[in-house]
Amino acid sequence: MEETLKLIFPYVVVLIGVLLAFQGVLMIVAYTVLGERKVLGWIQGRVGPNRVGPWGVLQPFADLLKFILKEDIVPNESSKVIYYLAPFIALTCALMPIVVYPFGPTITTIDWSFLPYGIAEGVHTLRLVIAQIDVGVLFVLSITSVGVYGIMLAGWSSNSKYSLMGGLRSSAQMISYELAMGASVIGVVMLAGSLDLTRIVQAQMGSPWYMRWFIIPQFIGFVVFLISAFAETNRVPFDLPEAETELVAGFHTEYSALKFALFFMAEYVNMFTVSMMATVLFLGGWYVPGLSHLFDVGSVPYALISIGAFVGKVIFFLFLYIWIRGTLPRFRFDQLMNFGWKFLLPLGLLNLIGTIIVVFFLNR
Amino acid sequence: MVSTALFFLFAGFAIMCAISMVYHKNPLYSAISLVGVFLSLACIYLTLAAPFIAIVQILVYAGAIMVLVVFVIMLLNLDDEPNTSRLKYLYALGGGLGIVLLAQTLFVVYAVSRTPNQAIDPNVTVGNTIDIGRAMYTDYLLPVEIVGVMLLMAIVGSVVLARRLSQPQLELVIDKEEERISEEINS
Amino acid sequence: MSNFLLAQLTTPNADVTLILPEIVVALAGIVVMLYDSFFPKQKAVSGAIGMLGILISAVLLVLMWGTSYSGGAWSGMIAHDNLRLSFGLVFLMIAAMTILASTLWVDIEGVPTGEFHALLLFATFGMMMMAAGNDLVVIFLGLETSSIATYVMAGLRKGDLRSNESALKYFVLGSFASAFLLYGMALVYGATGTTNIPLIAASVGAAKFPALLLIGSAMMIVGFGFKVALAPFHVWTPDVYEGAPAPITGFMAAGPKAAAFSSFLRVFVLGFPLVAGAQAAGILHETWISLLAVLGIITILFGNVAAILQNNIKRMLAYSSIAHAGYATVGFVGAGLAKTAAERNEAIAAVAFYLFVYAITNLGAFAIVSLLGQRNDRRADFEDYNGIGFKAPLLSFSLSVFMLSLLGMPLTAGFIGKVLVFRPALESGNVLLVALVVVAVIGSAISAYYYLRLLVVMFFRERAVDWTPPKVPSALQTAIAAAVVAVLYFGLFSDGLIRRFSNAAPKAADVRAER
Amino acid sequence: MEPNLATYLGLSGILFTIGCVGVVFKRNALGMFMCIELMLNAVNLTFVAFSRYYADVHGQLFVFMVMSVAAAEAAVGLGIFIAFFRNRQSIDVDTASILKN
Amino acid sequence: MDLIKENLLTILILLPTVGAIAAIAYKAVTKDDSSQRWFALIITTLNFLISLLMFTRGVPAVGGFEFEQNVPWIPAIHTNYHVGVDGLSFWLVLLTTFIMPLSVLCAWTAVEKKKTAFFAFLLLLESAMLGVFVTLDLLVFYLFFEASLIPMFFLIGVWGGKNRIYAAVKFFIFTAVGSLLMLVAIISLYYIYAGAVQGSGSFDFVEILAAMQSGKLVLGSQAGMLLFLAFALSFAIKVPIFPVHTWLPDAHTEAPTAGSVILAAILLKMGTYGLMRFNFAFFPDQARETAWIFITLAVIGIIYGALVAMVQPDWKRLIAYTSVAHMGFVVLGMFSFTELGMQGAVYQMLNHGVSTGALFILVGFAYERRHTREISEYGGLANVMPNYAAIFIITTMSSIGLPFLNGFVGEFLIMVGMFKSNILNVTASTNWNYVAAMAAGIGVILAAVYLLWLVQRVFFGKVTNSENKKLTDLNAREIGLMIPLLIAMVVMGVYPKPFLERTDRAIKTIEARVMKSAGGAVEKTELDTKALENR
């Protein structure tokens, strides 16, 4: 029994960690929605939702309830299997990348002694990343690129021309901007010397932090990344696929109720993951400069503060999203494609070439 | 044990998806089945200790090539394949080819399993990013350069193909149309 | 700054001079592309840049003939021998001829010139890589590079359904063939544990899985057979050739085919060499030799018989190109049976020379066909050539010379080519090969019928309707004149070229240094 | 039964067969193209399996190259399909038969 | 002069080609299409005169060649430009250069369209034919052998009669098929030689022959037979020997006059020349073994040709069939393997060249006037064209083999040679040689029948067809061009000695080669020696 428990214990810890992490993400996402409405309201001189709970804090749950209770409409002529499959693909692919982001430093001094039977004997370290894999950056990119299927299939299976147009636009847009995104990421990868996100964060540690954070040497890359991240997530000013005025909400025109909610969530999760990516790649991830002077590296408080810093940085990006949504107009589709191919991609490539040259000479 | 189960799970899934791809008349269903094959193959690469290839498999095949294919299917709004009577000999040909290849596969499996297997050291992995990267820019430097040229060419090629017709080419089409019409009138 | 990655890199032995000719061609392609995007109107210049690149590359190739290179350059991925050099020259010649021959076509059909020339140069780069590749991966990549470029070129006449169809079929069947080829490569890799051809040759005798070697080579024969259009795998050729624009058809019939032959030769003759004894290597060698001989017989008979039935000249030339693949196979098999390195080099040179001559002749013929075919190759049936013989004497004389050379008449280069490829096969004295040669000869006799038919139509028939000979632009004139002169010149004074082709360059990059 | 080299090769052979048969059976060019991609993937699996067996990274690099080639092929091939479709309103290869006497 | 003599054969070969190019260039520059015949006439005559220089050297030694030149052509495959004449080729070269100006003359006005091309092709043809007769390198021989096809192909196809396309293609394909197998045989021989001498191979006739004679190169019986057949087939088609002769009537009938003349007078000789030169020298055993086949076919050819000729309604076709018969004689003589028979064969080649050439020219004259070749359209021409009739009858007589005209000598020698031969003595009971000789004799009689019948139908009787009344007799050019031929007929018929003398040594060499390798001594007969004493 004890042996079995001992055997299972690490898995249990990981499982709990995963659940917690995902729960946290979903909560943050849910409140991002609220936050967006509030901030938009603020920008537009309105109040925003304030009826459900104090300041409207229960609004997300009310929304969820609404989605669950709404009638689920399935278009007659749609391809049923794909129609059902699409939102799941979208959400799954949005959530998957979360597993590789390190959201805090490794905790080395953890004390499990309060547990019975000493089932956690000798285990003192806890990695604050669900899966540290060798090719983390590529993993994120690849899952994101698979995510486009959700949108495309949704557009196609609805058997409606608006949805189809939305799906087509979305996939074209995502394919186009993924290149620029990749180009901007490679600069970071080269400076860090690894595709592993944890390593990338580690490479940004140390002093002087303002030189280490890749936002400084890779500023162009950062800008390119940010813009293409906006495009990847179909957010304003790149929200052509779901432009209400043109396409009547685009690929999810025909979706309602819970399936719509899944798409909706997927979009916000995507925003969140992209923000995490930006944080990890350019803002040093969970690293707080100078924190090691206050707490021991590897101690629990150090980790907690780091997690806080990480979340804070992510929220900064989320705010940026909302802010831009409130201020910028939408592109026309051809402008968007031109911008992507003729400006962003060359810029990313130039940055890449510059980085190559610099790295080459620095390493001689 | 777990890896065995996983292997057979993904292998079965891959074969099922592959059959479904051939079976389905609707190109989109075929495409999705193919994505399924790609994803399960990626997982199988993981069991072969080739994480880099596994990820690139998803990135390139599922994330780029098949997205393009699905894109084209949607763009052209392809319907199901019509069920007209195909030339019968093609079915015979396909069946024959299938049998030959299957026999060949069996032969390969037999030949390989007959040869005493050297045990594979599970700790030796060559599929890490660093291994691949190092080999790519030393031994495989030349192929990488050729691939560069090839991709450039593919870009040029697809741009050429996708661009609108030039003026003389349009004239050509119009010419031909007129010719056809005049022929019809004559006949 | 982290120096994590670069610190671990060992500097590769990247001897650029070894692949300079190839690089020059690729660079020329890029320059053409860039030039065209900035000055899209100047069509002649992009052609001129292309020609310049080809010329420089050719000069470099010739200069490289006697030079030796360090064995480990590019990790042994590049071979430096007469196969590579002579085939390289063949490809460059093909590219130059195609550029010249397509000037008129480019003009009247509004082809995107810069892109066309760039694609052509990239295809040439790919073909040169196929000949130079000493490793299956380089061969595969070269093959794909040239194929992909050719797919696009076949479909360049976008408004025309036949061209689209040609591109579509070429693409689907070409990729299908690549898959087989690749599977073969994978199995060979599995059997020997390496993709480097000299290493494969060294280890076929002691292959880990000899059975895989057999299957792999069979698969590769299927794949290469598709590319060179050997008989059961030729199905794509006629449709594709007929549908593609004439200058491109000429290119396809000459270039990718010759390139596929060069790799085919390298993989089989050098990779699966003649080894005495009944070990795996011996069985493998015997198998592929006899398989190819049988395929050659079928190819020659089929190509020639089918060509007789054609009324469209492009289609006729397509079938004849199948037959010519068969003739080249004769020399190829002869090379496989050569007992000494010198004999092998001679046989390889014979195949190279044959394809060289075939390419010149074929491109010349297609230049004229495209000229007379007018827009869209509308006038490409035999009837369209009725009685033009004495109305356009120079053109029809040139076309006759080409036809006679394809037929293998003495005093044309085609004759020398045939003599050369038949020689190694007869030398071996193998019964199957003698049968192959006899079939090849009978095939040539059959081919007299359809080649002469063109002469008959041009000179012996009268033209019913009025016909004015087309104006021949100067570039096309140059191309045709060069082809005629070359055909006649190499019919008389081929010695220098044959010697050059068969003289072994110093064996340098033969073996990959170490793993 | 532990998966070993033979198992992997068997899987790749089966996939290759299915792809090859599919190429013959499929009517539309896009379907054929997908079947060819499947065949390429089967080959990739063979390469990776052998790469694991020999502990030789070159097999995986070959796979990498094959993937690049597949991408290039896809780009061009889809361009060709679109060009064909523009003129013919179908990519059924059986309708592509004007090139016959 | 020495320079010319040194390079005599090369000059002979190249001069017409240069002339052809000059004619075309002249046309291209001046657009003048009528003066090319002068080019052709001058060049061919000049060539004839130059070829007469061959007399300045004596008969080459046994197995040797005069005017030899041997320079490497494609060293990479060990092929040389090796030319030379011996007794055998001497007269054939002379025949060629002699006939060419005449054929140019007979095409003087007959050709109405595309004159430049016509004369250019004639000149090119002369080059090729001369090349065939003088080259001693197998590959180069093959090259000229094939190259001679193309001008002829065009001559028939462009300037021929109604059915010209069929005839031209048939001619080409028949000849090309046979010769391609010869190419295989030639290349095989190259490697057999290489294997025999343990060195590089060779295409050189002299070298290979020397290796064979010295016993270094011994052919296996099977390989030898295959090679022999490959060579023989191509030559047999060219001759043509009976079952493969069908291209000849068509080609002759459809060809323009000059083409028919050259075809009959010279091109057919390539086949017999090749048989004698290569088949007998390289494969004596096989030649002996298969002699009965060739003799049978030759006899069949003689009788068949005569019978078919008899029923031809077409004048030209009739004469074409006489060629089949006459060439049958040549083959018969060759395969008797007696010196007399072979001498006769060579002599008959020349005869046939002169007589049949003349007949074709004469038919051409009539055709030019009436544009028909139906015998029934003519009749009583002797009344309106007396000179023409006279010349025609003399030529006919020569062709039949009337004593004191050339045909007699050749046929007589052949028949005697056949009688003397022991090549067919399989059984003691029946001497098949006699049978063959007698059958040939019947052929001579049949020839008399059909040719005289022709003369009777065309020239005698009343002029029934009104169109024939208007016909004019031969003009000065036409008579002038017939005179050399008539002289040749008479001289060759009366005084054959200088001809036989020249060929004698070469023939002896060949005979010795064929018979010696059989183990038997060279057969000497009384008549044989007498003929030699005539020298």
Side-chain angles (χ1 to χ4, degrees), chain B residues 77-78 80 104-105 116 118 138 156 173 176:
Chain B
N77 214 350
L78 294 177
D80 291 8
Q104 179 262 130
T105 307
Q118 70 191 31
T138 52
V156 176
V173 174
K176 226 169 33 185

Side-chain angles (χ1 to χ4, degrees), chain C residues 13 75 149 166 183 192 245 274 288 290 329 369 406:
Chain C
N13 184 352
S75 310
S166 160
Y183 198 39
T192 57
L274 177 70
W288 75 255
S290 29
T329 313
V369 169
L406 287 175

